[in-house]
Amino acid sequence: MRDIFCLLKLKVDGGGKRTQYEGLSNLIRSGGAGMGSKLTSVFVNFIVRAAVGMALIFFINQYLLTDNNLLNVGLNTTSFLTSGILGIPGVCLLYGILFYQNL
């Protein structure tokens, strides 16, 4: 109960006047906007990582592993999700799994 009262303290300017509530009201007000921008940021970050990962897989398959078709990673939903969640280490993981399977 004491924590709630600490969150609802008044902000006082130099002349002793009460100017605004701070704490819980500001937390609620900024929390709604912060959650939306955070969700947008996470989504955009996922899409950018997935696009870079898919481009990297395409580049590696097309230009670096032209003669070895056994190590080509497919451009599919699994590779999209792996590269979107893990980024470039996810792409390395996909190639590592294929390399391990072909030993």
Side-chain angles (χ1 to χ4, degrees), residues 3-39:
D3 294 334
I4 293 173
F5 290 114
C6 289
L7 287 174
L8 292 176
K9 64 183 177 180
L10 291 173
K11 185 176 182 182
V12 179
D13 65 357
K17 295 181 181 178
R18 295 178 183 176
T19 56
Q20 68 180 10
Y21 286 101
E22 69 177 8
L24 188 60
S25 61
N26 288 341
L27 181 67
I28 292 170
R29 217 176 348 185
S30 68
M35 292 300 284
S37 65
K38 183 177 180 181
L39 183 62

Side-chain angles (χ1 to χ4, degrees), residues 15-88:
K17 295 181 181 178
R18 295 178 183 176
T19 56
Q20 68 180 10
Y21 286 101
E22 69 177 8
L24 188 60
S25 61
N26 288 341
L27 181 67
I28 292 170
R29 217 176 348 185
S30 68
M35 292 300 284
S37 65
K38 183 177 180 181
L39 183 62
T40 304
S41 173
V42 168
F43 181 72
V44 168
N45 194 5
F46 174 81
I47 295 297
V48 168
R49 278 189 305 216
V52 168
M54 295 300 271
L56 187 62
I57 290 171
F58 177 78
F59 176 77
I60 291 171
N61 285 346
Q62 197 72 19
Y63 298 110
L64 296 179
L65 299 175
T66 56
D67 57 344
N68 193 356
N69 289 334
L70 294 175
L71 293 178
N72 284 348
V73 172
L75 295 173
N76 53 29
T77 308
T78 306
S79 58
F80 180 80
L81 290 175
T82 303
S83 64
I85 294 170
L86 299 175
I88 294 175

